[in-house]
Amino acid sequence: MVGRPEPGAAAPPTIGLTGGIGSGKSTVAALLVAQGAQLVDTDAIARSLTAPGGEAMPAVAQAFGPGFVAPDGALDRARMRALAFADAGAKARLEAILHPLIGAEASRQAASAGGRPVVFDVPLLTPGSAWRARVARVLVVDCSEDTQAARVAARPGWDEALARSVIAQQIPRGQRRALADAVIHNDGLTLEALGAEVQALWSLWFGTRPR
């Protein structure tokens, strides 16, 4: 873990957590929750919005047609993923539907933190994004692209070629690390070692704040 301590500074109320697919970001998020954080998972919010009966589904069906709605009424994620990777305009249309709804729900969840540090898990955290402006510090989970590809290819429905195509379309690792106030290098770490990294960072940023 590489961090930039700020001796004497007040603990920031918000952290933006980001990392590429297969980096281990979700595991780090769970470890931060174990330390006492309130997690706001934007991917989970997006899945809820596009689940059967989800708030975004009427607009999705209108924008993309019934062929992108699965028989159960949820978003056909595989078909939408393929379209979004092939057509930047389609990706932008989907984001225009989802992002305002995600932002509103994220704010609602953050408001229930009760004074605890809030971790916004945001895969698309970039220098110019609204998310960067709303978090006090950024934590990046990083690993090699080979490690990413191997982890993702092990998931059901994925293979290495698909994993690498997704990685290639994400924010470059160097740009992501340039945003960071701290970087956890998650190559070859055991879960125990990763947990120790998270605990050390929590202590650096939040001291003895109770869990």
Side-chain angles (χ1 to χ4, degrees), residues 30-110:
L31 292 167
L32 287 165
V33 170
Q35 290 295 321
Q38 166 86 358
L39 177 65
V40 177
D41 184 337
T42 60
D43 268 355
I45 293 172
R47 288 193 296 271
S48 175
L49 292 170
T50 55
E55 186 178 355
M57 287 310 300
V60 169
Q62 182 176 9
F64 296 96
F68 286 86
V69 181
D72 64 356
L75 176 69
D76 186 332
R77 300 184 191 283
R79 186 171 184 185
M80 182 60 75
R81 184 190 303 125
L83 176 64
F85 287 153
D87 183 345
K91 180 180 179 181
R93 292 200 307 276
L94 179 63
E95 290 175 347
I97 294 169
L98 292 180
H99 285 186
L101 297 173
I102 292 170
E105 176 61 17
S107 295
R108 187 194 68 77
Q109 292 184 17

